Amino acid sequence: MTAELVRGQNHPLSEVRLEIRISAGCPVVAAATLSDDSGRARGAEWVVHPGAPVLPGLEASRQAAADHRLAVDLGAIPEAVHRLDVLLALPAAGGGPTRFGAVAAPFVAVTGPDGTELASYTITGLDAESAVIAVELYRRQDAWKVRAVGQGYAGGLTELLSDLGLTQAAELATAAEEAVAVGLARSVAAPPPRTTDDARSHQASAPPRPNPAASVSSHEGSSHEGQVSGTAGPAAPQPAGPGGSGGGTPAAGPAASVPAGGTIDYRHPRRQPAPPPPPGQPAPPPRQPSAPSGQPAAPPAAPAASPGHDGQPTRPVAGDATGWSMEERLYNQVWGMFEDLARTTAAYRSAVDFAESRMEKELDQVLSDPRSRIGGQGDAAREAARAKHARLVDQARASLDRDLAQLTDESEVVEPALPAAYARWDNPVWHGYRVPMEIPMAVRLGDLHLPEDPFLRIPMLIRLPLERGLWIDSGRWASPDESFADAGERRRLAMEAAVAHAARLIAIYPAGEFGVHVIDPAGSGAQALAPLVHTGVLAGPPAAGAAGVADVLSRLTQRVDLVQMAVRGGAPDALPPGFDAAEQLLIVNDFPHGFDDRAVTQLRYLADEGPAVGVHLMMVADREDAAAYGPLLDPLWRSLMRLTPVPDDHLADPWVGHAWTYEPPVVPPGSQVLQLVLTEVAAARRDWNR
């Protein structure tokens, strides 16, 4: 089964001989670099590019193309190589696009020798970058894994190679460009563009609708740096092929067709009311798909929102989505709202861009004619162009407002019905909180909203168990008024956000099935940690000093090793007597204070291998504090989901790539909900241990 990766996610490789397939919307240069255990490429002899396409165990394409196939034999790669980075760059020659934001998102697939797809990754969130590290294959305990990277560089291939430690980066980039230029000179010219009639006959395929498990991706390397992964969901987004894509909700945008002699319909396809049935004829019931013989039936369909007497849909209801339980229905409904808001906003922004480009074109036509540059004829033409622009924008805004109103109505119905795992801290569901008997499907890590309507908040739900650690960023955030310039205040807010996230995870797991450890080397987080410490829900007191750091990391690392050996040996029940099988969360404050090189290595090991065996990491850190480690810690930061303790627009959706503002889950000022919930958990644990 194919693993559809999101940024920072890794996946084990079961084959030694591989093929890396790359698809892009325009010709790109494919290259690769080899690195040692310190993450550095030793020289030009460890770089494969169109000018030097072959190395032992690795062969790349000799020219720029929209589709590439790189042959990799991991068994033939030198033992000194611990990492293989696959690079993509836009060629400078040929007059093509100069930034990835202007082309379709590149798609990378790692396949076996028989063509079986092992892992895939769609690189979203790129903008001004002209080169990107797509994926990396790395060696871990005599086994190879693939990780989705997506790190972009606006400075092109030269900047990328320099970041990998190559002193001759400029020469290598020039050699690759020269080889590409030679290949382009020998290539066949592209066919002429289609005529207007041909274009009208072409119907653009709609992009597939990704499932909730697809995550909000990040734009690291541009202005956005985090990634939200809804792990273990029903499915992940399917990449669009060169000729179109799979079915799903059509996306309104520039490719939408315009009916002959009519106007553009900017209404969101999923929000258009269905016409009422003819008089005297009942509406047909929704068709239920039949299950194949011997297969379980599909989940029951959601109750359809029947139109009212005026043809408009009735007021939305909570749980209006598919699923076996109300929890699953609400989860799917929230993700449906998320997608609807992303797509309707994309339709509005595309309409505005279209109106502006049309106005600019008409104004250019006026200015290009010397007879209409001055005088009343030119002024009238300019006024007509501006009036047409305003009319199109107003029409698009009216459609957006209609969709936003429907989504707001749905949000007002859904929000009060959410269970504790999905609810905000001010939801009344916490007043009657009881420790659950089962692990929920997902957990709420905050809210997301767009600038078109900052009051419409979509819950950010992430599937459980977590497959990535969390990084609560205590560094400098984008704040125009410099209201968070004080480093101590930033660290305090970050630690309070970490405690709120940890408290929620503790509260939504059954008693005895989730343990929390804390590393606080200097004791700077004592005040924020008070609710966890005083209620006794921690596995032990916060570890302080270098000795405490070493002790906690050693115990958790040993735990990961034991579980991995038991699982790989086919005997998961053969763990030592008294082994605590509960999932574990490690909160690390003030990294890298109190960490030596061994501790840093153990931390990276936990971040990579821990989630698969129930050991999760939550870092409260400023990346600049660990700058002395250089690129050694880059894989650590990339493997974690970056969250901020204040609103920040560092996240992007997987459908159209909007920059979403993330709002952390804040406990209302003066509220005792955290204390009450943790006290209830502590009491349930005491009863469970009796």
Side-chain angles (χ1 to χ4, degrees):
M1 183 176 179
T2 305
E4 295 171 340
L5 306 180
V6 296
R7 187 173 184 183
Q9 189 176 2
N10 58 47
H11 184 73
L13 294 174
S14 56
E15 302 283 350
V16 174
R17 300 186 64 185
L18 305 169
E19 187 175 71
I20 300 177
R21 301 180 179 181
I22 299 165
S23 299
C26 68
V28 296
V29 179
T33 60
L34 306 178
S35 304
D36 55 22
D37 55 355
S38 65
R40 292 285 180 175
R42 294 185 177 178
E45 66 274 12
W46 276 21
V47 181
V48 168
H49 59 83
V54 179
L55 279 180
L58 180 60
E59 182 174 0
S61 176
R62 299 175 183 267
Q63 62 184 10
D67 296 286
H68 288 276
R69 295 192 177 189
L70 278 67
V72 180
D73 186 355
L74 298 176
I77 288 180
E79 288 292 331
V81 174
H82 285 256
R83 193 178 78 196
L84 186 157
D85 291 305
V86 178
L87 320 177
L88 304 179
L90 294 171
T98 58
R99 60 187 187 92
F100 276 108
V103 300
F107 173 73
V108 181
V110 180
T111 69
D114 58 350
T116 302
E117 197 168 283
L118 306 177
S120 64
Y121 173 43
T122 302
I123 311 172
T124 59
L126 298 176
D127 187 7
E129 298 85 355
S130 57
V132 61
I133 300 177
V135 297
E136 64 180 17
L137 279 58
Y138 62 101
R139 207 190 296 259
R140 177 74 68 184
Q141 293 182 345
D142 297 328
W144 284 88
K145 292 187 175 184
V146 58
R147 177 185 284 116
V149 180
Q151 170 70 56
Y153 295 84
L157 196 58
T158 301
E159 183 184 358
L160 188 156
L161 295 174
S162 298
D163 195 45
L164 293 175
L166 289 163
T167 56
Q168 61 274 54
E171 292 82 358
L172 287 169
T174 301
E177 289 291 348
E178 289 175 353
V180 168
V182 172
L184 288 175
R186 296 196 303 262
S187 63
V188 179
R194 294 175 300 164
T195 63
T196 305
D197 293 336
D198 292 335
R200 287 177 179 172
S201 65
H202 175 71
Q203 297 296 329
S205 299
R209 172 173 177 172
N211 238 310
S215 61
V216 185
S217 63
S218 77
H219 303 242
E220 188 172 354
S222 56
S223 58
H224 312 289
E225 300 178 356
Q227 183 179 50
V228 180
S229 171
T231 56
Q238 299 293 330
S245 50
T249 304
S257 59
V258 182
T263 59
I264 300 174
D265 186 359
Y266 291 110
R267 291 179 298 172
H268 190 281
R270 293 189 66 232
R271 297 291 173 182
Q272 295 182 16
Q281 180 178 350
R287 184 175 64 88
Q288 297 290 341
S290 58
S293 177
Q295 298 293 329
S306 59
H309 297 292
D310 57 354
Q312 296 296 324
T314 58
R315 184 171 176 83
V317 296
D320 188 11
T322 59
W324 290 103
S325 64
M326 177 57 73
E327 179 189 19
E328 185 179 359
R329 286 174 179 253
L330 288 170
Y331 172 80
N332 291 333
Q333 185 175 14
V334 167
W335 273 93
M337 294 165 57
F338 182 26
E339 181 182 358
D340 289 346
L341 181 54
R343 293 194 184 277
T344 193
T345 304
Y348 167 71
R349 294 180 180 179
S350 297
V352 172
D353 290 343
F354 169 75
E356 290 178 352
S357 63
R358 182 171 179 173
M359 181 181 67
E360 291 175 0
K361 181 179 179 181
E362 293 177 352
L363 291 176
D364 289 341
Q365 290 176 349
V366 172
L367 295 175
S368 64
D369 188 353
R371 295 170 298 178
S372 60
R373 289 179 184 173
I374 57 175
Q377 183 180 358
D379 293 340
R382 282 187 283 270
E383 288 299 325
R386 294 188 182 100
K388 189 179 297 182
H389 169 269
R391 185 168 61 254
L392 289 173
V393 172
D394 290 343
Q395 182 182 356
R397 184 70 210 194
S399 177
L400 174 68
D401 290 341
R402 183 167 55 249
D403 287 346
L404 291 178
Q406 293 183 14
L407 283 168
T408 300
D409 290 343
E410 189 171 6
S411 176
E412 292 174 350
V413 171
V414 170
E415 190 68 48
L418 295 176
Y422 303 173
R424 292 195 300 252
W425 284 114
D426 58 356
N427 193 307
V429 71
W430 291 106
H431 297 172
Y433 168 78
R434 292 293 181 271
V435 177
M437 302 298 293
E438 296 180 352
I439 301 174
M441 285 183 59
V443 61
R444 185 175 189 162
L445 294 182
D447 294 336
L448 299 168
H449 67 82
L450 290 172
E452 280 75 8
D453 189 351
F455 300 103
L456 177 57
R457 311 293 175 87
I458 305 296
M460 190 176 115
L461 304 182
I462 303 299
R463 289 295 295 263
L464 293 176
L466 298 174
E467 287 193 1
R468 299 178 63 197
L470 304 179
W471 167 27
I472 314 301
D473 190 357
S474 61
R476 260 182 209 279
W477 315 297
S479 177
D481 57 356
E482 295 295 329
S483 55
F484 300 104
D486 180 64
E489 178 69 7
R490 296 198 304 268
R491 289 190 175 93
R492 181 188 65 81
L493 291 173
M495 198 61 200
E496 289 178 354
V499 169
H501 288 304
R504 180 182 291 268
L505 288 168
I506 293 171
I508 64 177
Y509 271 78
E513 293 196 22
F514 197 83
V516 177
H517 310 259
V518 176
I519 290 179
D520 188 18
S524 59
Q527 182 177 355
L529 290 168
L532 301 178
V533 175
H534 295 163
T535 54
V537 294
L538 295 179
V549 172
D551 177 62
V552 173
L553 291 177
S554 177
R555 285 189 285 111
L556 291 178
T557 302
Q558 183 182 19
R559 173 192 175 87
V560 172
D561 290 339
L562 285 173
V563 177
Q564 282 187 340
M565 286 190 293
V567 172
R568 290 171 181 171
D573 297 330
L575 292 168
F579 183 85
D580 184 8
E583 293 194 39
Q584 307 293 318
L585 173 68
L586 173 61
I587 304 175
V588 178
N589 186 32
D590 273 354
F591 177 81
H593 182 76
F595 280 73
D596 55 17
D597 291 344
R598 175 180 172 80
V600 170
T601 302
Q602 290 176 321
L603 194 68
R604 286 186 55 184
Y605 176 72
L606 291 178
D608 285 341
E609 307 296 337
V613 293
V615 177
H616 310 285
L617 182 62
M618 183 185 295
M619 297 272 292
V620 183
D622 180 359
R623 188 168 182 172
E624 293 183 1
D625 293 341
Y629 287 93
L632 181 65
L633 290 182
D634 285 350
L636 173 64
W637 303 118
R638 288 197 297 261
S639 68
L640 302 175
M641 182 193 309
R642 177 177 177 256
L643 303 176
T644 55
V646 297
D648 189 70
D649 60 345
H650 65 285
L651 299 176
D653 63 79
W655 299 288
V656 291
H658 293 319
W660 292 74
T661 298
Y662 166 76
E663 296 264 359
V666 179
V667 178
S671 173
Q672 297 297 316
V673 62
L674 216 62
Q675 190 76 19
L676 294 174
V677 168
L678 294 177
T679 301
E680 183 72 21
V681 171
R685 288 184 176 182
R686 287 193 296 269
D687 294 340
W688 181 79
N689 288 324
R690 288 177 181 173

